[in-house]
Amino acid sequence: MLNNKDDILSELTGILVEMFEVDAADVTADAHLSDDLDIDSIDAVDLIVRLKELTGKKIAPEEFKSVRTVGDVVDAIQKVMAEQ
Amino acid sequence: MANDKSSVRKRRDYYWVRLLATASAFSLFGFGGLVLRFVLFPPLRFIYRDAEVRKRKARLLIHHAFRAFIGFMHITGIYTYSFRDEERLRRPGQLVLANHPSLIDVVFLISRIPNANCIVKASLFRNPFMRGAVTTADYIPNDDPEKIIELAAQSLQRGESVVLFPEGTRSVPGRPFKFQRGAAYMALRAQVKPTLVTIRCNPPMLMKNIPWYSIPLSRPHFQFDIADAEHLLQLRGTDESPLAAREITHKLKAFFTEECAA
């Protein structure tokens, strides 16, 4: 279910809407987490926990340090899913 | 008629005296920081063996030093000021949240709070003038958001008051407030209803991005109004979550926006 970027993005959109009440229409690959979606570093900590539940894999906070946009999050998820 | 000087009572705001006094105040502040660090704080190590007690005494010393400093700036005519209900700030274990129009807001607030913890710029821990005070008083550096919230919540639970400017930095006049959500997380984690201090400075002085010597032509007045968030916020039974933090932050922002619009 998390094989391609489109699936990951739609899954992630659902999570962001549920957790932070962002507008689903604003969640695009280019959307900047803090500037466009008002997701701050504390939210990011909660998001990492939630993504761990989703992927069943651990995402190191360091992985997330370079994350700026929704597209970066999708890439990060895709990367951990590819790892065995 | 307009030329009749006796009929025009000009308010005298002593611009040059205030400018000179402001320069003295800046020097005095730095000097005071060094006196605390090298003269007043070292003996605390020997007098108070218990680190907790020492920290509390250091904060009390800073409180009195700030009170004297606020008085100095007042008698030299840099500003006038008034607090409404200032005794409410003395109660222990309060999360004191304020808007942040000027550089000296924190000095005013700590001058009224005997055991105040506060969140300070991490760079002050390396500043030779401020290092002694911020380390001995065990203030919280603003580097890691999660650590700030945890340390502040623990501090509140120990009965210390925590002073915080939810904007994170001084306001930019004429721009809408931009609040960070750390204050809301602290309130939720410690289950403490914030005490809200509205600071009005008219005309503005020591604003963000304005050099210290650029003082207003007329003498500023600082007004501090203290309010409970009793009716504003509902914390009991509310779990810490991004949505709860957003709602509280939203309400805080609405409160300060309305207070400061008047």
Side-chain angles (χ1 to χ4, degrees), chain A residues 42, chain B residues 146 149-151 153 157 184-192 240:
Chain A
I42 308 164
Chain B
E146 181 50 39
I149 294 166
E150 185 52 33
L151 290 176
Q157 278 156 354
Y185 279 103
M186 286 172 204
L188 285 165
R189 198 169 297 179
Q191 287 288 307
V192 168
E240 190 181 318

Side-chain angles (χ1 to χ4, degrees), chain B residues 69-71 73-74 77-81 104 108 205 219-220 222:
Chain B
F69 185 64
I70 289 296
M73 289 193 283
H74 184 219
I78 293 176
Y79 52 64
T80 55
Y81 73 96
I104 50 179
F108 271 110
M205 68 175 272
R219 177 178 295 127
F222 280 89

Side-chain angles (χ1 to χ4, degrees), chain A residues 9-10 12-29 31-33 36-39 70, chain B residues 243 246:
Chain A
L9 180 60
S10 75
L12 180 62
T13 305
I15 290 172
L16 295 179
V17 170
E18 169 208 317
M19 285 182 76
F20 311 120
E21 285 183 355
V22 297
D23 195 332
D26 292 340
V27 185
T28 61
H32 197 281
L33 292 179
D36 300 327
L37 302 175
D38 192 26
I39 291 171
V70 170
Chain B
L243 288 187
R246 276 169 168 72

